[in-house]
């Protein structure tokens, strides 16, 4: 089947999904064409680290060559492997994961309901702005209101990684594919073994 895939956009979403098979945890790493949503490569690994991502990226490169754009979440293991295997390839981070993580931090840090609503509005504005300067401008009041933990998180996971990126928001095709994997696992019989 892999030999039959002759046309792909060059824009690839990478993501992982943890699954439980026969009582043991595994990680399904997936590469999905960001434009068509077609899965290009799926593999199962017992660990989720730079080595696993590195092997997966090398296998992808052997089959397809270098992508023109990589879309992913902010995983440190994925980023380290990406730099080793696909150095110089443009990448963009995932809006969905960053906003989800930021909202989780806000819930933990801001107890007042009206204050939380205000902070959530600022958080969403960070991700709707297209330019780096407008993202920083939207983040500034949130950093002042929400406390040091949220402020540090915004610096570390949003402002600094996106400093030189203009294409910072993904369509998250790999995340949608992960939902399909979850459906397979939650079926009546599930997946009986790692080999399946």
């Amino acid at each position: 089947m892999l030999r039959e895939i002759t046309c792909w956009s060059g824009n690839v979403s990478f993501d992982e999904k943890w699954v439980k098979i026969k009582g043991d945890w595994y990680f399904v790493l997936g590469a999905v064409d960001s434009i068509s949503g077609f899965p290009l490569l799926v593999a199962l690994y017992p660990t989720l680290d730079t080595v696993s991502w590195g092997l997966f990226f090398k296998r992808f490169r052997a089959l397809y060559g270098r992508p023109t754009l990589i879309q992913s979440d902010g995983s440190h293991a994925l980023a380290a492997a990406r730099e080793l295997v696909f150095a110089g390839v443009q990448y963009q981070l995932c809006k969905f994961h960053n906003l989800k993580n930021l909202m989780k931090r806000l819930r933990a840090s801001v107890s007042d309901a009206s204050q939380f609503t205000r902070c959530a509005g600022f958080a969403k504005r960070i991700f709707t702005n297209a330019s780096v300067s407008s993202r920083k401008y939207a983040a500034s009041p949130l950093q002042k209101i929400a406390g040091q933990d949220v402020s540090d998180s915004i610096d570390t996971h949003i402002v600094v990684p996106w400093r030189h990126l203009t294409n910072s928001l993904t369509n998250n095709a790999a995340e949608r594919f992960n939902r399909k994997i979850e459906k397979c696992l939650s079926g009546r019989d599930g997946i009986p073994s790692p080999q399946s």
Side-chain angles (χ1 to χ4, degrees):
M1 186 172 102
L2 290 171
R3 285 191 212 102
E4 298 300 315
I5 302 171
T6 55
C7 184
W8 59 290
S9 69
N11 294 0
V12 184
S13 290
F14 290 101
D15 203 7
E16 77 282 338
K17 175 77 179 161
W18 49 269
V19 296
K20 198 171 194 177
I21 303 173
K22 289 214 165 209
D24 293 322
W25 289 104
Y26 294 91
F27 296 90
V28 178
L29 305 188
V32 178
D33 188 296
S34 299
I35 306 299
S36 69
F38 189 81
L40 299 170
L41 182 63
V42 178
L44 192 69
Y45 289 90
T47 60
L48 185 63
D49 54 17
T50 303
V51 173
S52 299
W53 275 114
L55 292 170
F56 185 74
F57 286 154
K58 286 177 183 175
R59 187 167 173 213
F60 182 90
R61 187 179 61 194
L63 291 167
Y64 298 103
R66 287 172 59 90
T68 53
L69 177 69
I70 293 173
Q71 299 174 335
S72 68
D73 60 19
S75 162
H76 295 296
L78 184 149
R82 184 193 68 232
E83 283 302 310
L84 289 171
V85 181
F86 294 123
V89 173
Q90 184 184 12
Y91 68 93
Q92 61 188 52
L93 301 176
C94 175
K95 165 186 166 180
F96 170 79
H97 286 98
N98 273 303
L99 181 57
K100 184 177 166 184
N101 291 340
L102 181 56
M103 295 303 280
K104 189 188 299 182
R105 284 192 185 278
L106 283 172
R107 280 188 199 89
S109 299
V110 181
S111 55
D112 179 71
S114 63
Q115 188 84 342
F116 175 79
T117 303
R118 188 169 176 227
C119 287
F122 284 128
K124 289 174 185 168
R125 265 183 246 135
I126 294 171
F127 295 96
T128 56
N129 291 329
S131 72
V132 175
S133 60
S134 59
R135 277 185 226 127
K136 284 182 181 179
Y137 184 75
S140 181
L142 179 58
Q143 288 180 292
K144 290 174 186 165
I145 297 168
Q148 194 61 44
D149 182 49
V150 173
S151 180
D152 292 345
S153 177
I154 290 170
D155 281 337
T156 305
H157 300 292
I158 298 170
V159 175
V160 172
W162 285 2
R163 185 170 286 142
H164 304 294
L165 299 175
T166 53
N167 301 328
S168 59
L169 309 181
T170 77
N171 64 10
N172 214 12
E175 188 70 30
R176 287 194 300 277
F177 183 67
N178 280 347
R179 285 190 219 113
K180 292 179 173 116
I181 293 170
E182 198 167 338
K183 275 190 172 180
C184 291
L185 285 164
S186 63
R188 191 178 74 188
D189 299 321
I191 295 177
S193 70
Q195 289 75 23
S196 337

